[in-house]
Amino acid sequence: SDILKLWESALLGKSILVYGANPNLTSSCALGIASLLFPEKFVGNIIPFMSVTDIRFKKMIIDNVHVKNLILGVSNPIALQIENKFDLIFTIGFGQKRDGLNISRSNWESFPTLNNINSSVLRSFFYQNTRKTIKAINICLNDLRNTN
């Protein structure tokens, strides 16, 4: 269910902090989250990896603002001092007990069962759901235009 929450959050433009065991894993995960929206593109900013010595990181510490429309990857535990500026924190590469979202799990009944999941099934699932969501949004917007 974590992957569904990540898809939903990326679709809604929420901010996601990816905390990984190393820069390679972190950046791959950040880019993977953004790619869940295919065929649509992620409309926010993606910083697959940022070091704590990066000037942008220092600016985030100083600014007292909640981040929006950003997927940011970090691998240094010092970077977690900005976690309160993000909607979601996703941890990866530390072992099953620590990996995943820092929120309670939800059940999505339409999600494929674990015994038949592979990359192709996931891609198809998210592609179809993204298309359906965009179609529903467009229908609602057209209905609003027609009523005004």
Side-chain angles (χ1 to χ4, degrees):
S1 65
D2 283 355
I3 197 167
L4 288 165
K5 187 64 177 174
L6 290 168
W7 170 78
E8 176 187 294
S9 297
L11 188 66
L12 295 175
K14 292 188 176 183
S15 58
I16 303 169
L17 179 67
V18 178
Y19 173 54
N22 60 60
N24 185 38
L25 190 58
T26 301
S27 58
S28 294
C29 183
L31 293 170
I33 292 168
S35 76
L36 292 173
L37 298 182
F38 179 82
E40 303 299 320
K41 66 179 186 175
F42 181 70
V43 294
N45 294 314
I46 305 166
I47 304 174
F49 179 76
M50 183 187 290
S51 168
V52 294
T53 60
D54 190 306
I55 192 76
R56 295 171 295 177
F57 178 77
K58 291 177 182 176
K59 185 174 177 355
M60 280 185 178
I61 292 173
I62 294 168
D63 291 348
N64 194 16
V65 180
H66 186 79
V67 179
K68 294 185 184 346
N69 290 336
L70 174 65
I71 299 174
L72 172 65
V74 297
S75 66
N76 190 323
I78 293 171
L80 294 178
Q81 63 186 302
I82 61 168
E83 71 181 348
N84 62 335
K85 298 175 188 269
F86 288 82
D87 297 310
L88 289 176
I89 293 88
F90 184 74
T91 306
I92 187 164
F94 296 100
Q96 289 183 342
K97 295 216 186 251
R98 285 191 58 202
D99 285 354
L101 289 172
N102 61 341
I103 58 172
S104 62
R105 306 294 189 251
S106 61
N107 291 328
W108 288 55
E109 294 178 16
S110 62
F111 197 63
T113 58
L114 287 177
N115 52 351
N116 69 352
I117 286 184
N118 60 39
S119 180
S120 177
V121 170
L122 285 174
R123 279 279 155 223
S124 176
F125 177 82
F126 287 112
Y127 176 85
Q128 296 301 324
N129 279 300
T130 300
R131 299 295 296 172
K132 286 182 210 173
T133 303
I134 298 303
K135 183 178 178 181
I137 290 169
N138 285 331
I139 289 170
C140 289
L141 289 174
N142 283 332
D143 288 349
L144 284 172
R145 281 187 211 114
N146 293 335
T147 58
N148 290 330

